[in-house]
């Protein structure tokens, strides 16, 4: 289907591309909590798939991590691996890693932080390295969701930051779709980078969590794309309801995301209830694609439905991207796009 780049709108709708928010280091720190859908996440309300025993085992290991049992005076049971200050949840998409990480955060006592890799690196950018260390040093636990590598410089800063925090007594829990000693595989090969990753991974016990993507257990594997007329009807109906809906040309939004730091995407979508996109098309620039991934992550965290026309949203990454070093990031984003897109009116809430 051809992009609707020249489609004429018959109504005035707010656009995400008009939003250029600013964000301070203090604001980033204040946001370092689990996203809304995991506000009440616990080990008790995690629903493991019993066809995959590693999911139950992960719960047990995390409960031990947050409440370590002291060994008896004569016990030789505890080995060096049990005393590691970090735990790393490695698994595919939609197996509940973020739920478990949030459950761990909620179960922990004392000062604690929960954020994505991008949020922590943005904090360093906003406050500076030493100020970030001062801000986070009191934490008993730091949770890092989506430890995925886009930039070796950011990764080296982050591994050094974690090293200093661990040395001062902070415990660290992280999730990723990639084992810690394979982070950056197929992307970066600099010796100093590999040395940093090796040093970091030595602090983590890795828990492998297998299973099916829960977002796709009861849905088809395709993002919903509606006709332009249907999208316009949905947008007009939402406006008449008084819903907070935005509508953007896909290309304009992609260009705008390139002017906003990913740490600010959470403010770009703040208070939005539905996002409408016109003329979705195939992306051929990897930087654009990675920014879209970061944007979709924030939309998913905020649970904002997307009404899109043009190409199905989960088909925007070209074949070269899907075969490259970032393919796991794109696959995770595709899963989230399938879950977010809709062709129906969201339930009306007052």
């Amino acid at each position: 289907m051809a992009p609707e780049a020249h489609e004429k709108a018959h109504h005035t709708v707010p656009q995400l591309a008009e939003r250029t928010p600013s964000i301070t280091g203090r604001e980033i720190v204040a946001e370092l909590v689990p996203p809304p859908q995991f506000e009440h996440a616990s080990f008790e309300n995690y629903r493991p798939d019993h066809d995959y025993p590693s999911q139950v085992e992960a719960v047990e290991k995390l409960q031990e991590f947050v409440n370590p049992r002291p060994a008896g005076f004569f016990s030789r049971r505890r080995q060096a691996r049990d005393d590691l200050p970090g735990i790393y949840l490695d698994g595919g998409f939609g197996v509940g890693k973020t739920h478990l990480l949030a459950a761990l955060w909620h179960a922990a006592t004392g000062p604690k932080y929960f954020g994505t890799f991008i949020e922590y690196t943005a904090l360093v950018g906003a406050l500076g390295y030493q100020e970030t260390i001062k801000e986070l040093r009191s934490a008993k636990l730091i949770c890092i969701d989506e430890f995925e590598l886009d930039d070796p410089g950011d990764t080296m800063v982050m591994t050094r930051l974690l090293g200093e925090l661990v040395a001062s007594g902070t415990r660290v829990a992280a999730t990723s779709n990639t084992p810690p000693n394979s982070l950056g595989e197929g992307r970066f090969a600099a010796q100093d980078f590999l040395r940093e990753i090796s040093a970091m991974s030595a602090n983590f016990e890795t828990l492998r969590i297998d299973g099916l993507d829960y977002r796709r257990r009861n849905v088809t594997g395709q993002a919903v794309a509606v006709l332009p007329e249907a999208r316009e009807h949905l947008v007009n109906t939402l406006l008449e309801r008084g819903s907070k809906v935005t509508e953007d040309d896909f290309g304009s939004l992609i260009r705008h995301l390139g002017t906003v730091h990913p740490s600010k995407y959470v403010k770009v979508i703040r208070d939005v209830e539905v996002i409408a996109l016109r003329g979705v098309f195939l992306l051929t620039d990897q930087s654009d694609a990675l920014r879209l991934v970061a944007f979709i992550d924030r939309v998913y965290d905020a649970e904002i439905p997307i009404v899109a026309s043009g190409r199905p949203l989960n088909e925007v990454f070209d074949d070269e991207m899907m075969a490259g070093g970032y393919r796991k990031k794109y696959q995770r984003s595709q899963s989230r796009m399938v879950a977010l897109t809709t062709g129906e009116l969201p339930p009306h809430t007052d």
Side-chain angles (χ1 to χ4, degrees):
M1 184 180 291
E4 309 134 45
H6 303 293
E7 182 188 333
K8 192 172 181 179
H10 300 290
H11 42 254
T12 302
V13 191
Q15 299 175 43
L16 297 177
E18 295 172 339
R19 298 183 172 198
T20 54
S22 60
I23 192 165
T24 66
R26 301 298 172 205
E27 287 178 306
I28 296 173
V29 171
E31 295 282 348
L32 291 178
V33 296
Q37 72 265 42
F38 297 111
E39 183 179 356
H40 302 293
S42 68
F43 295 126
E44 290 73 26
N45 61 27
Y46 174 70
R47 298 199 306 257
D49 185 336
H50 291 282
D51 288 336
Y52 298 92
S54 60
Q55 294 187 14
V56 175
E57 292 165 9
V59 172
E60 295 170 353
K61 280 281 190 178
L62 287 169
Q63 288 173 322
E64 290 178 13
F65 183 79
V66 74
N67 292 305
R69 292 174 295 181
F73 185 76
F74 296 105
S75 174
R76 296 182 179 274
R77 178 182 60 80
R78 289 179 63 82
Q79 302 296 319
R81 295 297 295 180
D82 295 315
D83 295 323
L84 290 175
I87 197 160
Y88 192 101
L89 306 183
D90 162 43
F93 322 107
V95 296
K97 299 188 302 295
T98 301
H99 182 117
L100 289 173
L101 190 68
L104 177 69
W105 186 90
H106 286 298
T109 57
K112 53 191 176 181
Y113 298 102
F114 183 110
T116 63
F117 183 82
I118 286 176
E119 287 171 314
Y120 287 110
T121 55
L123 183 61
V124 175
L127 293 182
Y129 183 82
Q130 291 302 328
E131 283 300 311
T132 301
I133 289 288
K134 288 180 185 176
E135 190 73 38
L136 301 181
R137 182 167 277 151
S138 64
K140 299 295 184 185
L141 175 69
I142 286 180
C143 295
I144 308 167
D145 199 19
E146 301 162 14
F147 203 116
E148 302 279 345
L149 307 187
D150 297 334
D151 180 89
D154 279 349
T155 302
M156 290 174 68
V157 168
M158 194 65 177
T159 54
R160 287 170 183 166
L161 179 76
L162 292 178
E164 287 202 45
L165 293 173
V166 164
S168 66
T170 300
R171 308 193 91 200
V172 178
T175 71
S176 182
N177 301 316
T178 307
N181 59 355
S182 299
L183 286 166
E185 199 172 78
R187 302 179 219 172
F188 316 120
Q191 288 304 307
D192 53 353
F193 172 81
L194 295 175
R195 186 170 59 249
E196 293 289 340
I197 289 298
S198 178
M200 181 195 71
S201 63
N203 284 319
F204 285 87
E205 176 181 4
T206 300
L207 297 185
R208 174 70 192 178
I209 305 177
D210 299 303
L212 299 174
D213 183 346
Y214 75 91
R215 290 181 289 266
R216 296 180 116 164
R217 288 175 196 165
N218 298 311
V219 297
T220 62
Q222 186 81 335
V224 176
V226 300
L227 292 172
E229 298 80 8
R231 187 207 69 251
E232 188 169 334
H233 173 72
L234 285 169
V235 168
N236 283 328
T237 304
L238 288 165
L239 288 172
E240 289 167 5
R241 278 186 179 181
S243 299
K244 295 175 181 176
V245 58
T246 62
E247 185 175 40
D248 288 80
D249 174 73
F250 183 68
S252 298
L253 178 61
I254 293 296
R255 288 190 294 275
H256 182 62
L257 293 178
T259 70
V260 180
H261 190 277
S263 64
K264 300 176 184 177
Y265 292 171
V266 67
K267 278 191 148 182
V268 169
I269 62 172
R270 181 158 291 169
D271 299 324
V272 175
E273 295 175 338
V274 180
I275 293 170
L277 297 174
R278 298 191 301 271
V280 176
F281 57 82
L282 182 70
L283 296 175
T284 56
D285 182 271
Q286 184 132 263
S287 295
D288 287 344
L290 290 171
R291 283 190 285 266
L292 178 62
V293 168
F295 175 75
I296 290 295
D297 285 345
R298 301 291 74 78
V299 174
Y300 182 77
D301 286 345
E303 300 180 287
I304 303 172
I306 297 174
V307 177
S309 57
R311 191 182 189 92
L313 200 55
N314 64 320
E315 295 181 3
V316 298
F317 307 121
D318 69 17
D319 291 342
E320 186 175 347
M321 293 174 192
M322 295 307 300
Y326 295 107
R327 63 188 177 279
K328 286 190 175 182
K329 290 178 75 72
Y330 296 138
Q331 288 167 350
R332 184 192 71 224
S333 192
Q334 287 175 321
S335 170
R336 293 181 168 189
M337 290 166 172
V338 169
L340 287 169
T341 53
T342 181
E344 301 176 356
L345 282 171
H348 186 33
T349 56
D350 294 322

